[in-house]
Amino acid sequence: MSRIAGYFKLGEVFRYFIRVFRKPDPNHPTSVNLRMMHGINRISIVMFLIAILVYIIRHI
Protein backbone atom coordinates (compact mmCIF):
# COMPACT_ATOMS: atom_id res chain seq x y z
CA MET A 1 0.00 0.00 0.00
CA SER A 2 1.33 3.42 -0.84
CA ARG A 3 1.99 5.95 1.89
CA ILE A 4 -0.69 8.34 0.60
CA ALA A 5 -3.37 5.63 0.63
CA GLY A 6 -2.40 4.86 4.23
CA TYR A 7 -3.21 8.42 5.27
CA PHE A 8 -6.74 8.18 3.88
CA LYS A 9 -7.53 4.81 5.46
CA LEU A 10 -10.37 5.72 7.80
CA GLY A 11 -11.88 2.31 8.50
CA GLU A 12 -10.31 2.00 11.94
CA VAL A 13 -11.47 5.50 12.88
CA PHE A 14 -15.08 4.71 12.05
CA ARG A 15 -14.84 1.39 13.89
CA TYR A 16 -13.71 3.30 16.98
CA PHE A 17 -16.67 5.70 16.71
CA ILE A 18 -19.05 2.75 16.64
CA ARG A 19 -17.20 0.91 19.42
CA VAL A 20 -17.30 3.92 21.75
CA PHE A 21 -21.11 3.93 21.73
CA ARG A 22 -21.48 0.20 22.44
CA LYS A 23 -21.57 -1.42 25.84
CA PRO A 24 -18.14 -2.57 27.01
CA ASP A 25 -17.07 -6.13 26.37
CA PRO A 26 -17.21 -8.09 29.66
CA ASN A 27 -14.05 -10.04 28.67
CA HIS A 28 -11.89 -6.90 28.65
CA PRO A 29 -10.83 -5.34 31.92
CA THR A 30 -12.19 -1.87 32.55
CA SER A 31 -11.15 0.85 34.91
CA VAL A 32 -12.62 4.15 35.98
CA ASN A 33 -10.09 5.99 33.84
CA LEU A 34 -11.03 4.05 30.72
CA ARG A 35 -14.75 4.58 31.29
CA MET A 36 -14.19 8.32 31.84
CA MET A 37 -12.12 8.54 28.66
CA HIS A 38 -14.84 6.82 26.61
CA GLY A 39 -17.48 9.08 28.17
CA ILE A 40 -15.54 12.20 27.23
CA ASN A 41 -15.02 10.81 23.72
CA ARG A 42 -18.77 10.24 23.37
CA ILE A 43 -19.49 13.82 24.38
CA SER A 44 -16.88 15.22 21.98
CA ILE A 45 -18.13 13.10 19.05
CA VAL A 46 -21.73 14.21 19.62
CA MET A 47 -20.70 17.87 19.95
CA PHE A 48 -18.64 17.62 16.75
CA LEU A 49 -21.57 16.14 14.81
CA ILE A 50 -23.91 18.85 16.12
CA ALA A 51 -21.40 21.54 15.11
CA ILE A 52 -21.10 20.07 11.59
CA LEU A 53 -24.90 19.99 11.32
CA VAL A 54 -25.20 23.63 12.45
CA TYR A 55 -22.47 24.66 10.02
CA ILE A 56 -24.20 22.93 7.11
CA ILE A 57 -27.60 24.44 8.00
CA ARG A 58 -26.16 27.97 8.24
CA HIS A 59 -24.43 27.71 4.86
CA ILE A 60 -27.39 26.34 2.94
Side-chain angles (χ1 to χ4, degrees):
M1 180 186 309
S2 71
R3 290 185 69 176
I4 295 174
Y7 287 121
F8 293 104
K9 187 177 178 182
L10 296 175
E12 292 187 28
V13 174
F14 291 120
R15 272 187 248 130
Y16 176 75
F17 286 157
I18 293 169
R19 188 177 64 215
V20 160
F21 289 101
R22 286 190 199 164
K23 293 206 176 229
D25 186 13
N27 297 330
H28 288 88
T30 59
S31 67
V32 173
N33 294 332
L34 186 63
R35 285 186 283 164
M36 293 292 260
M37 181 192 71
H38 284 299
I40 291 170
N41 285 347
R42 286 182 196 121
I43 293 168
S44 64
I45 291 169
V46 169
M47 287 179 65
F48 175 76
L49 293 175
I50 290 171
I52 293 292
L53 185 66
V54 168
Y55 181 79
I56 290 171
I57 290 172
R58 284 187 179 180
H59 284 82
I60 287 183

